[in-house]
Amino acid sequence: IHQPSARRHLGLLDLLLEFKHAMSVGSGEAASADFRDARRFILPVYERLPGDGCLDLMPAGEREDPAQLERYALNVRSFDWQDFYFNWEGELFFEWLRGQLVPDRYDLVLVDSRTGVTEMGGICAYQLGDAIVMMCAANHQNVRGTQNVAADFLSPQVLALRQNRPPQIVVVPARIEQRRQELLDEFMARFEA
């Protein structure tokens, strides 16, 4: 079976840009029909898995040939998330997208976002995620940072953004040095606390 390249397929960035285009042209059906079919931006990876499952992917965006890659890179660098939220109904867009993906189409949607505090990471965690999985390295700075970010996810401000849907937070120890038992014990005590 020939699997199409994810780089050749429309993705999230293309969906966002088509949405903005539809909003700028007007609210007529012809103008807004392009982005409304979310399946156009989803690439089937395994259409049939045991137990009647499937695996699909919404790539980042179309970027296979050099011209597409150049356009994609420019659009990523110039996409203004604050403008999108305040001037283009970004919150409603992501609620619409969430409704397109769950619960009727998928049982589980995984969103991969960059580590640290980023605009896209905030959108993924604040608005889209029901469960947030955080990786925590075995050093004091990472444990403290993970604790601060987890507290932020449960803050009244974030819960208000999520329409009071508290996220389930799962913290996973990562990059754990196991050669020195005393260091492992010290980290695990700090991690559990």
Side-chain angles (χ1 to χ4, degrees):
I1 296 176
H2 172 66
Q3 292 286 339
S5 168
R7 292 177 182 268
R8 191 178 322 135
H9 200 278
L10 295 173
L12 179 60
L13 183 59
D14 306 298
L15 174 59
L16 290 166
L17 294 173
E18 284 192 22
F19 170 77
K20 282 181 70 174
H21 176 72
M23 292 286 287
S24 68
V25 170
S27 60
E29 282 301 311
S32 59
D34 287 346
F35 82 88
R36 286 190 180 170
D37 184 6
R39 292 175 304 213
R40 288 182 46 236
F41 305 91
I42 296 173
L43 172 67
V45 177
Y46 294 107
E47 292 187 52
R48 193 155 191 82
L49 290 169
D52 293 326
C54 69
L55 178 65
D56 293 342
L57 171 71
M58 180 180 281
E62 188 177 41
R63 62 198 189 283
E64 177 137 49
D65 66 48
Q68 290 171 337
L69 181 58
E70 186 176 328
R71 187 171 49 252
Y72 169 82
L74 174 65
N75 286 329
V76 165
R77 284 191 309 270
S78 63
F79 196 87
D80 185 337
W81 286 103
Q82 190 170 17
D83 174 65
F84 183 70
Y85 260 74
F86 290 119
N87 298 317
W88 298 92
E89 303 293 340
E91 184 176 344
L92 290 175
F93 169 83
F94 279 104
E95 285 303 316
W96 167 83
L97 181 58
R98 181 178 165 72
Q100 294 293 301
L101 301 177
V102 290
D104 297 332
R105 186 167 173 92
Y106 297 105
D107 295 326
L108 179 65
V109 176
L110 299 175
V111 180
D112 180 18
S113 69
R114 293 189 57 181
T115 59
V117 179
T118 64
E119 291 170 320
M120 191 63 213
I123 291 166
C124 294
Y126 291 165
Q127 195 168 354
L128 296 176
D130 291 323
I132 299 164
V133 179
M134 300 169 59
M135 309 303 276
C136 179
N139 61 61
H140 182 71
Q141 181 182 6
N142 210 269
V143 171
R144 172 74 71 197
T146 301
Q147 183 180 26
N148 290 342
V149 171
D152 183 52
F153 289 147
L154 300 173
S155 72
Q157 297 86 350
V158 172
L159 290 176
L161 288 172
R162 296 174 51 81
Q163 285 81 42
N164 291 314
R165 289 182 295 115
Q168 178 184 6
I169 297 176
V170 178
V171 181
V172 179
R175 297 184 303 179
I176 306 301
E177 172 61 53
Q178 297 189 18
R179 287 183 279 186
R180 293 184 52 199
Q181 187 62 43
E182 68 276 6
L183 292 177
L184 179 61
D185 293 342
E186 179 184 324
F187 166 72
M188 290 309 291
R190 199 169 353 123
F191 179 81
E192 289 297 326

